[in-house]
Amino acid sequence: MHTVMLRRGLLAWVSRVGGVLVLLCCSLSLLYVMTCSPPHSDDPMLSHALPRAGPNHPSMGGTGPGIGAGGGGTGGARAGAFQSGGPPGSQSYQALLQEREEQHRLHISSLKKQIAQLKEALQERSQQLKGVQESLKRGAGGPAEGQEAGAGSQGGGLGEAQGAKSQQTDLQEFLRSQLSKAEVTAGSRLPSEYAVVPFESFTLQRVYQLEMGLTRHPEEKPVRKDKREELGEVLEMALHSLNTPSSQQDGKSAAGKTQTSKVYSPSDFIEGITRTEKDKGTLYELTFRGESTHEFRRLVLFRPFGPLMKVRNERVDTVNIPINIIVPLSRRTDKFKQFMHNFREVCVRQDSRVHLTVVYFGKEQMSEVRSTLENTSREVNFKNYTLLQLDEEFSRGRGLDVGARAWKGGNVLLFFCDVDIYFTADFLNTCRLNTQPGKKVFYPVLFSQYNPTLIYGSPEHVPPVEQQLVIKKDTGFWRDFGFGMTCQYRSDFINIGGFDIDIKGWGGEDVHLYRKYLHSNLLVVRAPSRGLFHLWHEKQCADELPPDQYRMCMQSKAMNEASHGQLGMLFFRQEIEAHLRKQKQQQNSNPKKT
């Protein structure tokens, strides 16, 4: 019993001693904390283990140096307390941690920017590489992009590739839409002749243009650097297309022919025409000499305000394309003899694929016209002509209409001509190349000659006709207001309704026919022709003409006489002569000093 009581007493004493010790330890710990911890700290453990957020720390809502309160101002208030009190060692340690944290934050931000730039550059290079690969695949007949996936594409790379493909598809669709909207393969309905966008023609060294103003010339070298580079690029691409080997040529028959070994060079280029539709692009048609005399190669290129697009590469054989030249005539036998002299040289001796139809009005001088034709037939063995006589008042539209409908040999290419027109063999080929039944008609802009007496000073100094045919600003002008000389197939002329035969005398009928073609879906090719000339002759405007026709006749007469500068010299002739007389008198009144 005594032993049990002793054990219970010992346990109670140990418990009390243990309690006192625990209480003593807690007191000592509390005393230590109160003595060593900074007064601002709410959590002594965290205040010594973690860096404290300052006013610039983004996670605490700090707003920058000098701001101690405001939105998120708690961190700023704590920083202020920290800086105003506490041990110096803790303050320097906290400042060091903040500086390191700021350095790491800036470094991470810089790395993120560099990664974004590298991704952008990589995506751009990938798109360029894919474009080249697609071009090579199309050239080799391989699969298009998207039919087989790359082994290294993964994650976001596939999405970027699909986006690049979509953008390239959209671009191609846009370029094709520009091509389809432009007048390349078909014409569009136009309200009037003023809505036509004319072509310019060019060779290796010259550009033949309509819009000159008072400073440019009808024929000149391309002065502007961009124009030279543009035409040079077009010619280079055309030659590259012609000389690129291929198993099958565009425009060949179904049977097909193997490609020839001819290498085309700039010397094979004959001429080209170009025009720009400012909301669509620029069209180029280039003609090269083919492998035989009557064979040509024509390339059609289109620049839709971007890279050139090859539209066609076709072989054009003109050996079986005769031309029926129709000439209405009334008297003027001297001019007809001059016309036949050029016809004999160009059409019979050089081309030999021409039929001549002369529609003569009246009976006076009819025998002379028939004699001229018969002499030409006998001298050069030329039988392809037809002489039609109409015993009625002269009407150019009526004569051309009769001549076109009198042809019974099927669909033929017609060239409506006048007796005072001079043309070359090159023009006849241009006429063939720029017309196509049911698709295209050709309205060349001819070069109209000024009065040779005014050009060369006097009748004694006027050279032969062949030497007068020089395309210069002082020798003539592009007759862009005339629509009488035209090339079209007989089927198109009949389907369009022909001429308005109610128009009598001079002028008007050609404009009506021209407007009919503009209102149709046929493509009207309007371009200056370097091989078509209007020879000067004195124009008589009859008093019997209606006011509108008389006004057109007088305007044409004034335009035909001389250039702007030459007419100015004529207008001020008296003033110039008075000046010269005054100068001579002053020289006579002031004798030379000895």
Side-chain angles (χ1 to χ4, degrees):
M1 183 68 179
H2 179 72
T3 304
V4 172
M5 294 295 293
L6 183 62
R7 290 180 179 175
R8 289 180 178 178
L10 182 61
L11 290 175
W13 182 79
V14 171
S15 300
R16 289 172 183 167
V17 172
V20 172
L21 290 176
V22 170
L23 181 61
L24 181 62
C25 290
C26 290
S27 300
L28 291 175
S29 299
L30 181 60
L31 181 63
Y32 174 79
V33 169
M34 293 175 63
T35 304
C36 299
S37 297
H40 69 276
S41 178
D42 297 329
D43 190 349
M45 298 296 291
L46 294 176
S47 66
H48 290 82
L50 296 175
R52 195 171 284 278
N56 294 327
H57 199 287
S59 65
M60 294 300 294
T63 57
I67 301 177
T74 304
R78 290 179 178 178
F82 175 82
Q83 293 172 2
S84 62
S90 300
Q91 181 178 0
S92 61
Y93 177 69
Q94 186 71 17
L96 179 62
L97 289 178
Q98 290 181 356
E99 182 180 356
R100 291 289 178 89
E101 183 180 14
E102 183 68 16
Q103 291 177 356
H104 287 302
R105 187 179 64 81
L106 294 176
H107 183 61
I108 292 173
S109 177
S110 175
L111 289 177
K112 287 182 178 179
K113 290 181 180 180
Q114 294 180 17
I115 292 173
Q117 293 174 355
L118 289 174
K119 283 185 176 180
E120 184 178 355
L122 181 61
Q123 183 178 3
E124 182 179 355
R125 294 295 178 89
S126 299
Q127 292 178 358
Q128 295 177 355
L129 180 60
K130 289 173 184 176
V132 173
Q133 290 175 347
E134 285 186 355
S135 300
L136 294 175
K137 288 180 180 179
R138 286 196 298 267
E145 180 185 358
Q147 292 182 356
E148 52 183 21
S153 63
Q154 49 182 299
L158 181 59
E160 293 176 359
Q162 292 176 350
K165 178 182 178 182
S166 176
Q167 292 177 359
Q168 189 169 11
T169 302
D170 293 341
L171 176 61
Q172 291 176 351
E173 290 180 356
F174 169 77
L175 297 179
R176 291 192 185 99
S177 67
Q178 291 289 84
L179 177 60
S180 63
K181 290 187 292 186
E183 285 192 80
V184 178
T185 58
S188 60
R189 296 178 184 271
L190 302 175
S192 68
E193 61 270 27
Y194 303 106
V196 176
V197 180
F199 284 81
E200 292 182 354
S201 58
F202 62 94
T203 60
L204 284 176
Q205 302 294 335
R206 294 288 187 270
V207 174
Y208 304 88
Q209 53 204 0
L210 295 179
E211 300 177 0
M212 297 178 298
L214 296 178
T215 58
R216 301 174 65 187
H217 300 276
E219 176 203 51
E220 64 182 15
K221 293 182 179 180
V223 179
R224 288 170 41 182
K225 180 174 180 291
D226 58 340
K227 189 67 174 180
R228 293 197 305 269
E229 292 178 351
E230 173 196 9
L231 298 181
E233 179 189 4
V234 170
L235 181 61
E236 181 180 356
M237 180 173 180
L239 290 172
H240 177 74
S241 178
L242 288 172
N243 293 324
T244 298
S246 61
S247 59
Q248 187 174 2
Q249 290 275 332
D250 296 334
K252 287 188 176 182
S253 61
K257 299 180 181 179
T258 59
Q259 172 138 354
T260 61
S261 58
K262 176 177 180 177
V263 177
Y264 289 87
S265 65
S267 61
D268 296 314
F269 175 63
I270 301 175
E271 68 175 355
I273 59 176
T274 177
R275 71 173 178 179
T276 299
E277 295 181 69
K278 296 185 178 181
D279 60 339
K280 301 176 183 70
T282 303
L283 173 66
Y284 309 90
E285 293 190 18
L286 293 84
T287 303
F288 294 80
R289 295 183 182 87
E291 300 169 15
S292 62
T293 304
H294 301 299
E295 185 181 276
F296 302 87
R297 295 297 299 272
R298 178 172 58 198
L299 274 83
V300 181
L301 305 174
F302 183 69
R303 187 197 302 273
F305 298 126
L308 285 170
M309 298 173 63
K310 183 177 72 173
V311 180
R312 288 191 303 274
N313 181 357
E314 59 186 1
R315 189 184 304 272
V316 182
D317 191 354
T318 63
V319 67
N320 295 320
I321 304 179
I323 300 177
N324 184 10
I325 301 178
I326 303 177
V327 180
L329 183 63
S330 178
R331 296 185 293 272
R332 304 182 68 185
T333 54
D334 292 340
K335 289 290 184 181
F336 183 68
K337 290 179 181 179
Q338 184 180 23
F339 174 85
M340 289 305 300
H341 174 75
N342 176 54
F343 182 89
R344 176 189 306 186
E345 184 65 28
V346 173
C347 299
V348 180
R349 294 177 177 172
Q350 297 183 35
D351 193 272
S352 70
R353 292 164 292 162
V354 172
H355 184 94
L356 176 64
T357 300
V358 179
V359 182
Y360 192 83
F361 288 81
K363 298 179 180 179
E364 186 180 357
Q365 300 182 356
M366 175 66 179
S367 59
E368 296 181 34
V369 173
R370 180 179 286 109
S371 177
T372 300
L373 289 171
E374 291 175 351
N375 291 337
T376 301
S377 175
R378 182 171 55 256
E379 292 173 3
V380 296
N381 192 26
F382 177 72
K383 306 296 183 182
N384 297 328
Y385 72 91
T386 301
L387 177 60
L388 303 174
Q389 183 182 5
L390 298 178
D391 191 10
E392 54 188 77
E393 181 185 0
F394 176 79
S395 170
R396 184 177 184 272
R398 165 73 171 158
L400 294 173
D401 195 87
V402 170
R405 297 178 187 276
W407 177 266
K408 304 301 180 183
N411 198 15
V412 67
L413 179 57
L414 304 176
F415 171 40
F416 294 156
C417 189
D418 285 341
V419 72
D420 48 14
I421 297 298
Y422 185 99
F423 54 86
T424 65
D426 288 337
F427 168 75
L428 295 179
N429 283 326
T430 302
C431 182
R432 295 182 176 100
L433 291 170
N434 286 307
T435 51
Q436 193 172 357
K439 293 186 177 181
K440 289 196 298 185
V441 295
F442 182 42
Y443 269 84
V445 181
L446 53 82
F447 192 79
S448 190
Q449 183 188 37
Y450 289 139
N451 188 343
T453 302
L454 298 178
I455 296 173
Y456 299 100
S458 65
E460 294 79 14
H461 296 91
V462 177
V465 173
E466 290 76 7
Q467 299 179 18
Q468 299 177 30
L469 305 179
V470 180
I471 301 178
K472 299 294 181 184
K473 195 171 185 179
D474 293 332
T475 61
F477 65 98
W478 290 115
R479 200 182 186 90
D480 57 344
F481 57 86
F483 308 98
M485 310 311 125
T486 173
C487 300
Q488 71 266 288
Y489 275 86
R490 183 178 181 273
S491 59
D492 295 328
F493 177 76
I494 299 297
N495 293 334
I496 209 70
F499 283 106
D500 185 353
I501 59 178
D502 293 333
I503 299 177
K504 306 296 182 183
W506 185 93
E509 80 291 332
D510 52 353
V511 179
H512 282 76
L513 179 65
Y514 185 59
R515 288 174 178 170
K516 287 182 178 180
Y517 282 123
L518 295 180
H519 297 160
S520 72
N521 290 324
L522 294 176
L523 175 63
V524 178
V525 178
R526 180 76 166 157
S529 179
R530 57 191 175 90
L532 189 64
F533 297 87
H534 177 268
L535 302 180
W536 182 88
H537 60 86
E538 187 175 359
K539 185 177 292 294
Q540 300 293 335
C541 298
D543 294 335
E544 296 80 12
L545 290 173
D548 56 343
Q549 286 184 282
Y550 186 81
R551 183 175 61 255
M552 292 173 60
C553 183
M554 291 302 296
Q555 290 176 350
S556 177
K557 182 177 182 177
M559 290 288 295
N560 287 344
E561 200 65 24
S563 67
H564 184 93
Q566 292 164 340
L567 288 176
M569 296 296 289
L570 290 175
F571 184 81
F572 297 108
R573 175 182 291 179
Q574 295 180 355
E575 185 177 339
I576 295 173
E577 292 177 351
H579 173 76
L580 293 177
R581 287 195 300 268
K582 185 177 180 180
Q583 291 290 325
K584 187 174 182 181
Q585 290 174 0
Q586 290 178 353
Q587 291 177 0
N588 293 334
S589 62
N590 297 320
K592 296 181 180 180
K593 296 180 180 181
T594 57

